[in-house]
Amino acid sequence: MRNAVLLPNGLVLTTDNSAGIGEKVDDVVHVEDEIVAYFCARVALLEQWAAGAHTISIVVHNFTGNKSWDKYVAGIEKVFKEIEQSCPVVTGSTESNMATLQSAMAVTMIGENRWANESELRWFVYGKPCVGEEVLDHIDKIADLKKIWIAMENGLVKQVWPVGSNGIVGECIRLGLHGELTGWNITKSAGPATSVLLGVGSDRIEDAKKYFGKYFEKIQ
């Protein structure tokens, strides 16, 4: 488990947020609100998977304004459409009393246990680290959610560990790995989990290499 909180009755809580990214004039990065919500939900979902859980409920915290609500919901629904799963009901709240100069929102997910994490795994990194505008400029290089979902459901991937602002090396340290990779920037932030560490059974390594293909590298 990475940053999830375990709740009673086997439930799991995860969250991710975004600020200064959106459609407002004073935003640092200008991008459609739907895309902002998509990547926020992507991180929260990957955190669920890291805990061996899958989402059953979603809460949106919207500080951007009423006009952004439907776009945020659409972005979240896109994540679940991508993995061909039904999107849970989305609820939440909007700050409508005070207008903000910059966009800000968060996505919180509650999930229930679906997979059991295993030990004695071989770890790989999937997807190149990207942050800010790079995420859209290099969309073909980031980890594919649908591929990860299918691999988990089929037992090819036994554990998922998203990479955040501390880079690949930071997550490797948390897992007790050396984090040695040739030709990868292991200290760079992976932004909205554009890189994901994947635990694969020793008997499925060749299968995993063929399945994931590009931007999939064994961690030494």
Side-chain angles (χ1 to χ4, degrees):
M1 187 174 70
R2 192 171 178 270
N3 291 328
V5 175
L6 298 181
L7 302 175
N9 300 317
L11 298 178
V12 174
L13 184 147
T14 63
T15 191
D16 190 57
N17 58 66
S18 172
I21 305 174
E23 301 179 7
K24 293 198 171 189
V25 174
D26 290 325
D27 282 332
V28 178
V29 177
H30 292 95
V31 66
E32 295 175 5
D33 288 337
E34 181 176 333
I35 294 175
V36 175
Y38 166 84
F39 281 105
C40 223
R42 169 193 174 92
V43 173
L45 181 61
L46 282 167
E47 293 278 13
Q48 286 282 327
W49 293 355
H54 189 56
T55 306
I56 59 172
S57 183
I58 302 172
V59 179
V60 174
H61 315 270
N62 172 22
F63 300 95
T64 308
N66 285 322
K67 292 182 178 179
S68 297
W69 178 264
D70 288 343
K71 298 176 185 178
Y72 285 155
V73 172
I76 294 167
E77 291 174 341
K78 183 178 178 181
V79 171
F80 289 86
K81 183 177 180 181
E82 184 175 327
I83 63 172
E84 299 181 350
Q85 296 296 304
S86 298
C87 181
V89 174
V90 180
T91 186
S93 178
T94 296
E95 171 55 77
S96 56
N97 293 310
M98 298 293 177
T100 59
L101 296 178
Q102 292 181 310
S103 302
M105 63 91 67
V107 175
T108 297
M109 295 186 179
I110 296 175
E112 57 186 8
N113 291 330
R114 188 181 183 100
W115 306 278
N117 290 332
E118 298 184 15
S119 57
E120 302 300 323
L121 300 174
R122 300 295 182 268
W123 285 92
F124 293 77
V125 61
Y126 173 47
K128 289 285 188 176
C130 295
V131 66
E133 294 179 355
E134 291 178 335
V135 176
L136 298 180
D137 292 340
H138 302 288
I139 196 75
D140 60 313
K141 297 181 180 180
I142 72 175
D144 186 318
L145 278 183
K146 185 178 179 181
K147 275 200 164 188
I148 296 173
W149 168 263
I150 293 173
M152 293 178 70
E153 287 287 84
N154 293 339
L156 180 60
V157 167
K158 298 295 187 180
Q159 192 167 351
V160 171
W161 196 272
V163 178
S165 58
N166 291 323
I168 295 169
V169 68
E171 305 303 337
C172 284
I173 290 172
R174 295 176 69 177
L175 286 169
L177 305 172
H178 292 297
E180 296 178 10
L181 288 165
T182 302
W184 289 63
N185 187 340
I186 62 174
T187 61
K188 181 178 179 180
S189 169
T194 61
S195 297
V196 181
L197 305 187
L198 301 176
V200 178
S202 57
D203 60 333
R204 303 296 304 275
I205 291 175
E206 293 305 315
D207 293 337
K209 288 180 179 178
K210 291 178 183 177
Y211 176 75
F212 286 103
K214 295 173 66 177
Y215 313 118
F216 183 75
E217 190 76 26
K218 189 174 187 299
I219 299 171
Q220 304 298 324

